[in-house]
Amino acid sequence: MNKKKPTNIALSFDIEDWYHTPLVTGSSFSKYPTLEDFFQQNHEESVDCITEETLRLIEILDEFEVSATFFMVADVARRYPRIVKALKGSRHEIASHSLTHQSSIDAKTKQPIVSIDDWYQEQVEAKKVLEEIFETNVIGFRAPNAVLSNWMIPLLEKIGFQYDSSVAFNSLYNKTNVKLRDIPTTPYYINGDDLSHRTPATRLMELPWSNYKITPFLTLPAGGGYFFRLLGPLYFKRVLKKALKKGDSMFYMHPIDISRKAIPSENPQNRPLYWINKGEKTEKNFIRLLKEFSGSFTTCKEVFLKHQKR
Ligand SMILES: [Zn+2]
């Protein structure tokens, strides 16, 4: 019998708060260059836009009996005990979303903002912190702001990561330091030079972000997150259906995407559409997606194991 395995959507959440977003901290255009600078100037208890929201997402996932991957910023794991309590020992996978959500390269010049050695040490520490706090093995990595560089690949392997999920191929943006070409929407072993599926590949698997090819010259982003809030469930339904025909796909969100709280405005050049449709609307749209693709969602680790070459 040659029964075809059902295709899956690797479901993930990036657990970071509003002050980890690049307008506020950790990128070349942030108000505060680092998270440390932010805390030095914000002594009062900061607004928490993720504890209640993460707990709500876990409740929704339980309701639908869906397991997901939580890409944790290790700093969040240290400072948000209720999130840790809810996820530790649960059905969900814990993966790394770095130590402080610091971007590694300048958005425009693509040159490293932090030294490669500092970046390496931070990823080692983040993995260690998460493994100690959650008492679990961490095998997955997602680069903060999806800013992935080819020099990270051998280092991620060296640290002990087995998969990455950061490569977003589309016509609107490229956050890597290489020219991306023909990136599939299904998992592949990543090439250490151009981040593609070309051989010779490394031993690190990539779970790329979905996209939607409108014409040979126009490919729209469809990983989730901001574009899920902006473009809504109908667009994503179409995209995921199309992607699933090719194989396993990926979808992600942030707890903050369903937050009803007002996000403190920390940046004068704040983008007006940055938090579009945040809150109840996106929560409802996410539930629609869970219903629509019932039985398809699983963790990144499960998808990784399906594709792993032994
Ligand atoms: Zn992030």
Side-chain angles (χ1 to χ4, degrees):
M1 289 281 282
N2 191 9
K3 207 175 166 208
K4 220 178 145 205
K5 274 190 192 164
T7 49
N8 289 113
I9 304 165
L11 176 62
S12 63
F13 300 94
D14 293 357
I15 311 302
E16 66 212 40
D17 214 333
W18 61 274
Y19 51 80
H20 295 103
T21 53
L23 286 175
V24 187
T25 63
S27 76
S28 50
F29 53 87
S30 303
K31 181 173 177 185
Y32 306 94
T34 68
L35 191 62
E36 214 181 338
D37 298 323
F38 170 80
F39 279 120
Q40 273 173 7
Q41 292 174 54
N42 290 269
H43 299 293
E44 288 166 43
E45 190 77 357
S46 281
V47 180
D48 171 352
C49 294
I50 58 170
T51 296
E52 294 306 328
E53 293 75 0
T54 304
L55 299 185
R56 174 68 188 134
L57 285 170
I58 294 170
E59 193 180 275
I60 295 169
L61 296 176
D62 281 348
E63 214 173 289
F64 285 86
E65 296 182 8
V66 165
S67 300
T69 298
F70 288 72
F71 286 96
M72 300 286 307
V73 174
D75 168 69
V76 167
R78 280 173 169 157
R79 293 189 298 105
Y80 293 70
R82 289 174 64 208
I83 294 180
V84 171
K85 191 165 175 257
L87 287 172
K88 191 173 173 175
S90 74
R91 67 198 296 160
H92 305 295
E93 180 196 4
I94 303 298
S96 176
H97 196 33
S98 85
L99 192 63
T100 61
H101 208 263
Q102 169 76 43
S103 273
S104 51
I105 58 175
D106 183 288
K108 285 202 179 83
T109 65
K110 309 288 184 184
Q111 292 304 308
I113 317 176
V114 289
S115 81
I116 291 179
D117 191 52
D118 284 352
W119 180 88
Y120 172 75
Q121 297 302 340
E122 283 200 12
Q123 305 321 318
V124 170
E125 190 182 339
K127 187 170 184 285
K128 193 168 160 257
V129 167
L130 293 171
E131 289 182 335
E132 279 173 9
I133 290 178
F134 289 98
E135 295 175 22
T136 186
N137 267 346
V138 168
I139 63 162
F141 175 77
R142 175 166 292 149
N145 307 315
V147 175
L148 188 78
S149 300
N150 57 357
W151 50 260
M152 292 177 190
I153 304 303
L155 298 178
L156 290 172
E157 278 189 278
K158 190 175 161 189
I159 297 167
F161 288 110
Q162 297 188 58
Y163 74 83
D164 168 74
S165 181
S166 315
V167 176
F169 172 63
N170 61 71
S171 311
L172 302 193
Y173 65 82
N174 174 7
K175 296 184 181 179
T176 73
N177 68 337
V178 299
K179 192 169 165 40
L180 294 177
R181 285 176 302 152
D182 307 327
I183 301 293
T185 58
T186 51
Y188 62 93
Y189 280 95
I190 195 165
N191 180 296
D193 287 325
D194 66 1
L195 308 176
S196 78
H197 58 299
R198 285 177 191 84
T199 51
T202 62
R203 292 177 60 81
L204 187 78
M205 193 188 291
E206 178 62 29
L207 273 55
W209 297 20
S210 293
N211 57 49
Y212 189 36
K213 202 170 185 173
I214 304 275
T215 73
F217 309 103
L218 180 65
T219 302
L220 296 182
Y226 171 76
F227 285 96
F228 182 58
R229 285 191 274 111
L230 181 74
L231 301 173
L234 289 177
Y235 171 79
F236 272 83
K237 189 177 143 184
R238 196 180 311 163
V239 165
L240 287 171
K241 270 194 174 158
K242 228 177 150 180
L244 283 175
K245 279 187 189 152
K246 293 186 210 155
D248 293 328
S249 187
M250 199 284 291
F251 178 80
Y252 87 100
M253 271 181 43
H254 306 93
I256 208 164
D257 293 328
I258 65 160
S259 181
R260 275 67 160 171
K261 290 175 198 130
I263 308 287
S265 180
E266 278 284 348
N267 202 317
Q269 43 167 340
N270 211 341
R271 301 167 189 177
L273 291 180
Y274 198 77
W275 295 116
I276 190 170
N277 295 333
K278 179 181 75 59
E280 196 179 348
K281 188 171 179 180
T282 291
E283 180 179 315
K284 282 186 174 158
N285 288 342
F286 174 54
I287 291 172
R288 274 179 74 172
L289 221 56
L290 285 174
K291 287 180 181 160
E292 189 66 44
F293 294 96
S294 163
S296 296
F297 288 108
T298 188
T299 61
C300 292
K301 187 181 175 182
E302 281 302 314
V303 171
F304 160 76
L305 290 172
K306 257 171 90 175
H307 292 264
Q308 190 184 27
K309 284 187 198 136
R310 287 165 206 279

